[in-house]
């Protein structure tokens, strides 16, 4: 077993922050720290995903250690999810669903570079995209005329659901190397930063 993942918790409510820290402290794979301690993952808890919260998320991502962010929100609509992912969030959870198992899974997935979304929210995003209503400011020109093949779409949907490479390989009967190659090809082809960026823009532009 390797070194535990350094995680910090940010919340306006000190009682809520203490509760989340207590929940995460039960996981031996996580070591809690402060934001000043250069965490690998920051768990941010907010009431809503408004411009000020998105600015705070970007500020956390721009810290010297560039930690990944898991955003826990009281309200999380499909549009909020797209904006949060585009701002750099690695994982999204509703506060009412943020139990110990989901919190630790999301934090550890973020540390691995994987993106986690609530399954029902992902389904709503996909339906919204298929209906042509996923745009939140227009499609990026680099996606004009682009498409994903069935294999790429299947892999990216499982990435969005928070599955790591080996799990995706088992579910789709591919080798881990094939899964890694598919994700790399998507990010390189569309000049995206990482898996979370790929999921956000694929949903935004209706490719998923």
């Amino acid at each position: 077993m390797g070194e535990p993942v350094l995680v910090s918790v940010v919340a306006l409510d000190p009682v809520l922050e203490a509760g989340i820290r207590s929940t995460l402290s039960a996981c031996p794979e996580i070591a809690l720290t402060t934001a000043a301690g250069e965490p690998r993952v920051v768990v941010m808890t907010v009431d809503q995903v408004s411009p000020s919260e998105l600015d705070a998320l970007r500020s956390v991502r721009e810290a010297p250690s560039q930690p990944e962010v898991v955003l826990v929100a009281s309200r999380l609509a499909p549009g909020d999810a797209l904006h949060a992912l585009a701002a750099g969030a690695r994982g999204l959870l509703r506060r009412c669903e943020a139990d110990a198992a989901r919190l630790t899974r999301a934090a550890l997935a973020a540390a691995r570079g994987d993106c986690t979304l609530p399954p029902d929210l992902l389904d709503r995003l996909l339906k919204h995209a298929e209906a042509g209503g996923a745009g939140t400011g227009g499609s990026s020109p680099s996606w004009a005329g682009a498409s994903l093949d069935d294999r790429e779409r299947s892999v990216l949907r499982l990435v969005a659901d928070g599955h790591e490479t080996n799990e995706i390989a088992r579910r789709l009967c591919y080798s881990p190397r094939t899964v890694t190659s598919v994700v790399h090809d998507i990010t390189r082809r569309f000049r995206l930063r990482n898996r979370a960026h790929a999921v956000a823009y694929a949903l935004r532009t209706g490719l998923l």
Side-chain angles (χ1 to χ4, degrees):
M1 183 173 168
E3 292 292 320
V5 176
L6 290 179
V7 177
S8 72
V9 179
V10 175
L12 292 178
D13 184 344
V15 174
L16 180 60
E17 179 176 336
I20 293 177
R21 289 180 66 88
S22 176
T23 297
L24 292 172
S25 67
C27 176
E29 296 175 85
I30 288 175
L32 292 170
T33 184
T34 63
E38 296 193 344
R40 192 167 166 192
V41 177
V42 174
V43 177
M44 288 184 63
T45 303
V46 300
D47 286 328
Q48 60 185 349
V49 183
S50 67
S52 60
E53 279 77 14
L54 292 173
D55 286 342
L57 194 163
R58 293 187 189 97
S59 295
V60 170
R61 289 285 295 129
E62 292 168 0
S65 61
Q66 295 185 316
E68 304 294 353
V69 176
V70 174
L71 189 69
V72 181
S74 298
R75 296 178 293 279
L76 197 56
D80 298 332
L82 289 175
H83 285 303
L85 289 169
R90 274 289 187 190
L92 300 175
L93 285 173
R94 296 186 186 90
R95 188 185 297 179
C96 63
E97 299 170 342
D99 57 20
R102 289 188 177 95
L103 270 174
T104 54
R105 180 185 176 210
L108 294 175
R112 294 191 303 267
D114 290 328
C115 182
T116 306
L117 292 172
D120 69 294
L121 180 58
L122 176 60
D123 288 342
R124 289 171 63 192
L125 285 169
L126 295 174
K127 291 175 182 176
H128 197 50
E130 289 167 0
T136 55
S139 300
S140 170
S142 64
W143 292 80
S147 64
L148 298 175
D149 61 30
D150 290 342
R151 182 173 70 170
E152 291 172 332
R153 190 173 292 106
S154 297
V155 168
L156 204 55
R157 286 188 180 190
L158 290 173
V159 168
D161 198 24
H163 297 288
E164 58 181 302
T165 298
N166 288 337
E167 290 177 316
I168 296 171
R170 285 195 298 270
R171 283 171 174 258
L172 299 179
C173 298
Y174 297 151
S175 70
R177 178 176 294 181
T178 296
V179 173
T180 300
S181 177
V182 168
V183 175
H184 175 73
D185 287 347
I186 293 170
T187 56
R188 179 177 52 81
R189 190 192 323 156
F190 300 119
R191 287 175 271 184
L192 302 169
R193 295 187 301 274
N194 48 45
R195 291 183 175 197
H197 195 194
V199 170
Y201 278 91
L203 289 168
R204 172 181 286 181
T205 58
L207 290 178
L208 269 182

